[in-house]
PDB file of all heavy atoms in Angstrom:
ATOM      1  N   LEU A 309      16.177   7.437   9.568  1.00 98.00           N
ATOM      2  CA  LEU A 309      14.824   7.729   9.102  1.00 98.00           C
ATOM      3  C   LEU A 309      13.809   6.936   9.980  1.00 98.00           C
ATOM      4  O   LEU A 309      13.872   5.717  10.004  1.00 98.00           O
ATOM      5  CB  LEU A 309      14.694   7.351   7.622  1.00 98.00           C
ATOM      6  CG  LEU A 309      13.412   7.682   6.863  1.00 98.00           C
ATOM      7  CD1 LEU A 309      12.291   6.723   7.100  1.00 98.00           C
ATOM      8  CD2 LEU A 309      12.928   9.116   7.132  1.00 98.00           C
ATOM      9  N   LEU A 310      12.959   7.661  10.627  1.00 98.00           N
ATOM     10  CA  LEU A 310      11.918   7.028  11.452  1.00 98.00           C
ATOM     11  C   LEU A 310      10.568   7.509  10.964  1.00 98.00           C
ATOM     12  O   LEU A 310      10.457   8.616  10.420  1.00 98.00           O
ATOM     13  CB  LEU A 310      12.113   7.403  12.922  1.00 98.00           C
ATOM     14  CG  LEU A 310      13.455   7.028  13.553  1.00 98.00           C
ATOM     15  CD1 LEU A 310      13.610   7.675  14.913  1.00 98.00           C
ATOM     16  CD2 LEU A 310      13.595   5.509  13.643  1.00 98.00           C
ATOM     17  N   GLY A 311       9.538   6.687  11.125  1.00 98.00           N
ATOM     18  CA  GLY A 311       8.201   7.142  10.738  1.00 98.00           C
ATOM     19  C   GLY A 311       7.810   6.602   9.387  1.00 98.00           C
ATOM     20  O   GLY A 311       7.343   7.372   8.509  1.00 98.00           O
ATOM     21  N   CYS A 312       7.876   5.274   9.168  1.00 98.00           N
ATOM     22  CA  CYS A 312       7.347   4.672   7.940  1.00 98.00           C
ATOM     23  C   CYS A 312       6.648   3.364   8.352  1.00 98.00           C
ATOM     24  O   CYS A 312       7.336   2.495   8.840  1.00 98.00           O
ATOM     25  CB  CYS A 312       8.468   4.397   6.949  1.00 98.00           C
ATOM     26  SG  CYS A 312       7.916   3.276   5.587  1.00 98.00           S
ATOM     27  N   PRO A 313       5.336   3.301   8.143  1.00 98.00           N
ATOM     28  CA  PRO A 313       4.368   4.377   7.809  1.00 98.00           C
ATOM     29  C   PRO A 313       4.467   5.542   8.815  1.00 98.00           C
ATOM     30  O   PRO A 313       4.962   5.356   9.927  1.00 98.00           O
ATOM     31  CB  PRO A 313       3.047   3.698   7.884  1.00 98.00           C
ATOM     32  CG  PRO A 313       3.310   2.201   7.655  1.00 98.00           C
ATOM     33  CD  PRO A 313       4.672   1.993   8.256  1.00 98.00           C
ATOM     34  N   HIS A 314       3.957   6.640   8.397  1.00 98.00           N
ATOM     35  CA  HIS A 314       4.091   7.898   9.200  1.00 98.00           C
ATOM     36  C   HIS A 314       3.897   7.634  10.684  1.00 98.00           C
ATOM     37  O   HIS A 314       2.937   6.901  11.084  1.00 98.00           O
ATOM     38  CB  HIS A 314       3.149   8.970   8.693  1.00 98.00           C
ATOM     39  CG  HIS A 314       3.592   9.633   7.473  1.00 98.00           C
ATOM     40  ND1 HIS A 314       2.868  10.562   6.766  1.00 98.00           N
ATOM     41  CD2 HIS A 314       4.776   9.542   6.764  1.00 98.00           C
ATOM     42  CE1 HIS A 314       3.557  10.995   5.718  1.00 98.00           C
ATOM     43  NE2 HIS A 314       4.730  10.370   5.705  1.00 98.00           N
ATOM     44  N   ALA A 315       4.749   8.240  11.506  1.00 98.00           N
ATOM     45  CA  ALA A 315       4.784   7.920  12.914  1.00 98.00           C
ATOM     46  C   ALA A 315       3.547   8.371  13.659  1.00 98.00           C
ATOM     47  O   ALA A 315       2.908   9.407  13.360  1.00 98.00           O
ATOM     48  CB  ALA A 315       6.008   8.636  13.559  1.00 98.00           C
ATOM     49  N   SER A 316       3.153   7.608  14.658  1.00 98.00           N
ATOM     50  CA  SER A 316       2.090   7.991  15.564  1.00 98.00           C
ATOM     51  C   SER A 316       2.642   9.018  16.547  1.00 98.00           C
ATOM     52  O   SER A 316       3.841   9.234  16.656  1.00 98.00           O
ATOM     53  CB  SER A 316       1.608   6.775  16.375  1.00 98.00           C
ATOM     54  OG  SER A 316       2.641   6.352  17.275  1.00 98.00           O
ATOM     55  N   LEU A 317       1.728   9.716  17.228  1.00 98.00           N
ATOM     56  CA  LEU A 317       2.227  10.713  18.197  1.00 98.00           C
ATOM     57  C   LEU A 317       3.052  10.051  19.295  1.00 98.00           C
ATOM     58  O   LEU A 317       4.057  10.604  19.738  1.00 98.00           O
ATOM     59  CB  LEU A 317       1.011  11.420  18.811  1.00 98.00           C
ATOM     60  CG  LEU A 317       1.301  12.667  19.665  1.00 98.00           C
ATOM     61  CD1 LEU A 317       2.010  13.741  18.866  1.00 98.00           C
ATOM     62  CD2 LEU A 317       0.061  13.206  20.346  1.00 98.00           C
ATOM     63  N   ASP A 318       2.688   8.836  19.675  1.00 98.00           N
ATOM     64  CA  ASP A 318       3.459   8.114  20.686  1.00 98.00           C
ATOM     65  C   ASP A 318       4.863   7.817  20.216  1.00 98.00           C
ATOM     66  O   ASP A 318       5.844   7.897  20.979  1.00 98.00           O
ATOM     67  CB  ASP A 318       2.777   6.783  21.039  1.00 98.00           C
ATOM     68  CG  ASP A 318       1.524   7.011  21.826  1.00 98.00           C
ATOM     69  OD1 ASP A 318       1.387   8.049  22.483  1.00 98.00           O
ATOM     70  OD2 ASP A 318       0.658   6.106  21.823  1.00 98.00           O
ATOM     71  N   GLN A 319       5.011   7.508  18.938  1.00 98.00           N
ATOM     72  CA  GLN A 319       6.364   7.226  18.409  1.00 98.00           C
ATOM     73  C   GLN A 319       7.182   8.508  18.377  1.00 98.00           C
ATOM     74  O   GLN A 319       8.382   8.507  18.722  1.00 98.00           O
ATOM     75  CB  GLN A 319       6.268   6.648  17.004  1.00 98.00           C
ATOM     76  CG  GLN A 319       5.725   5.200  17.005  1.00 98.00           C
ATOM     77  CD  GLN A 319       5.542   4.672  15.598  1.00 98.00           C
ATOM     78  OE1 GLN A 319       4.732   5.191  14.797  1.00 98.00           O
ATOM     79  NE2 GLN A 319       6.302   3.627  15.256  1.00 98.00           N
ATOM     80  N   VAL A 320       6.558   9.624  18.002  1.00 98.00           N
ATOM     81  CA  VAL A 320       7.276  10.941  18.003  1.00 98.00           C
ATOM     82  C   VAL A 320       7.696  11.264  19.462  1.00 98.00           C
ATOM     83  O   VAL A 320       8.816  11.686  19.688  1.00 98.00           O
ATOM     84  CB  VAL A 320       6.411  12.049  17.394  1.00 98.00           C
ATOM     85  CG1 VAL A 320       7.182  13.372  17.423  1.00 98.00           C
ATOM     86  CG2 VAL A 320       6.009  11.719  15.954  1.00 98.00           C
ATOM     87  N   ALA A 321       6.769  11.022  20.397  1.00 98.00           N
ATOM     88  CA  ALA A 321       7.057  11.337  21.795  1.00 98.00           C
ATOM     89  C   ALA A 321       8.241  10.506  22.291  1.00 98.00           C
ATOM     90  O   ALA A 321       9.103  11.015  23.038  1.00 98.00           O
ATOM     91  CB  ALA A 321       5.832  11.030  22.646  1.00 98.00           C
ATOM     92  N   LEU A 322       8.321   9.265  21.868  1.00 98.00           N
ATOM     93  CA  LEU A 322       9.415   8.387  22.324  1.00 98.00           C
ATOM     94  C   LEU A 322      10.762   8.891  21.783  1.00 98.00           C
ATOM     95  O   LEU A 322      11.792   8.921  22.505  1.00 98.00           O
ATOM     96  CB  LEU A 322       9.164   6.950  21.895  1.00 98.00           C
ATOM     97  CG  LEU A 322      10.199   5.912  22.288  1.00 98.00           C
ATOM     98  CD1 LEU A 322      10.435   5.898  23.818  1.00 98.00           C
ATOM     99  CD2 LEU A 322       9.806   4.511  21.812  1.00 98.00           C
ATOM    100  N   VAL A 323      10.773   9.295  20.534  1.00 98.00           N
ATOM    101  CA  VAL A 323      12.026   9.839  19.954  1.00 98.00           C
ATOM    102  C   VAL A 323      12.446  11.090  20.740  1.00 98.00           C
ATOM    103  O   VAL A 323      13.586  11.228  21.104  1.00 98.00           O
ATOM    104  CB  VAL A 323      11.825  10.219  18.468  1.00 98.00           C
ATOM    105  CG1 VAL A 323      13.109  10.803  17.890  1.00 98.00           C
ATOM    106  CG2 VAL A 323      11.425   8.997  17.654  1.00 98.00           C
ATOM    107  N   ALA A 324      11.457  11.953  21.001  1.00 98.00           N
ATOM    108  CA  ALA A 324      11.787  13.198  21.766  1.00 98.00           C
ATOM    109  C   ALA A 324      12.358  12.801  23.149  1.00 98.00           C
ATOM    110  O   ALA A 324      13.338  13.427  23.587  1.00 98.00           O
ATOM    111  CB  ALA A 324      10.512  14.021  21.910  1.00 98.00           C
ATOM    112  N   HIS A 325      11.769  11.849  23.784  1.00 98.00           N
ATOM    113  CA  HIS A 325      12.191  11.437  25.112  1.00 98.00           C
ATOM    114  C   HIS A 325      13.637  10.902  25.095  1.00 98.00           C
ATOM    115  O   HIS A 325      14.486  11.237  25.892  1.00 98.00           O
ATOM    116  CB  HIS A 325      11.220  10.358  25.667  1.00 98.00           C
ATOM    117  CG  HIS A 325      11.682   9.755  26.918  1.00 98.00           C
ATOM    118  ND1 HIS A 325      11.804  10.416  28.085  1.00 98.00           N
ATOM    119  CD2 HIS A 325      12.087   8.449  27.178  1.00 98.00           C
ATOM    120  CE1 HIS A 325      12.246   9.615  29.035  1.00 98.00           C
ATOM    121  NE2 HIS A 325      12.420   8.406  28.512  1.00 98.00           N
TER     122      HIS A 325
END
Side-chain angles (χ1 to χ4, degrees):
L309 187 280
L310 302 171
C312 167
H314 281 176
S316 67
L317 189 62
D318 289 337
Q319 289 175 297
V320 179
L322 180 56
V323 178
H325 172 65

